[in-house]
Amino acid sequence: LPPKPGDEAASDVEDYGHSPMISTPQHIAAHSVGDLLPIDPSLLPPAPSEDPHPALLKNVAKFWDLRNRGVTVNCDLYDKKEFHNPGILELLKTTYGINEVGSNYPKELFDPDGYPYSLYYDVLRRAEERGRAEKQANRTALDFVTASG
């Protein structure tokens, strides 16, 4: 399990050479939520009133152990050959049901699906290409005359 607040542990700056916003349980215990997060704390849900599910604790402990051994999910993923496959994004989207333009914000704050279809990239690109083609078609030919002397 992760160390409890008050346990002595090296900071992330020493372990990983960078200073993440939330680094260790000791760091969390020493600061208020408002100090740790760059968002308005009133947007956060209330703290849970019951203990977390044991399976969740086991999962957190597993990733905490991996992190302490120097294994990070992002680096491990990046080192895999499959990660550099250009088709992996489409595979991940279909396998895990990922909405690539989704958001974790509530729909009242930000709705990525709320934009009209006419503002989507592919529609804008086609409209721009049509505009270029029309401009090219309406262009008149220029006759170049050489200077005679």
Side-chain angles (χ1 to χ4, degrees):
L1 287 175
K4 299 197 181 335
D7 289 350
E8 293 300 321
S11 73
D12 285 343
V13 175
E14 295 164 357
D15 292 343
Y16 301 102
H18 68 285
S19 178
M21 191 173 292
I22 299 175
S23 56
T24 63
Q26 295 80 10
H27 183 90
I28 294 169
H31 294 85
S32 70
V33 172
D35 295 338
L36 296 172
L37 300 174
I39 61 170
D40 180 5
S42 67
L43 296 175
L44 298 175
S49 59
E50 59 221 26
D51 288 338
H53 192 275
L56 177 63
L57 287 175
K58 184 178 177 182
N59 202 21
V60 168
K62 177 182 82 170
F63 283 107
W64 187 264
D65 180 53
L66 286 171
R67 179 178 180 222
N68 287 335
R69 290 190 284 144
V71 177
T72 61
V73 175
N74 287 346
C75 290
D76 191 47
L77 179 64
Y78 186 79
D79 290 340
K80 292 185 184 292
K81 176 183 168 191
E82 295 86 3
F83 181 79
H84 299 282
N85 177 355
I88 192 76
L89 176 62
E90 200 59 43
L91 177 66
L92 290 172
K93 285 183 345 187
T94 56
T95 303
Y96 296 105
I98 296 171
N99 178 3
E100 65 183 317
V101 296
S103 172
N104 288 333
Y105 284 107
K107 294 272 186 197
E108 307 84 60
L109 290 177
F110 176 68
D111 182 8
D113 298 320
Y115 293 103
Y117 186 67
S118 62
L119 293 179
Y120 282 33
Y121 173 78
D122 52 344
V123 175
L124 292 171
R125 183 179 45 80
R126 282 193 297 262
E128 185 179 355
E129 287 173 358
R130 272 195 310 273
R132 277 195 209 130
E134 288 173 11
K135 191 174 182 181
Q136 185 72 20
N138 294 337
R139 203 170 158 193
T140 58
L142 297 176
D143 294 325
F144 289 98
V145 180
T146 59
S148 57

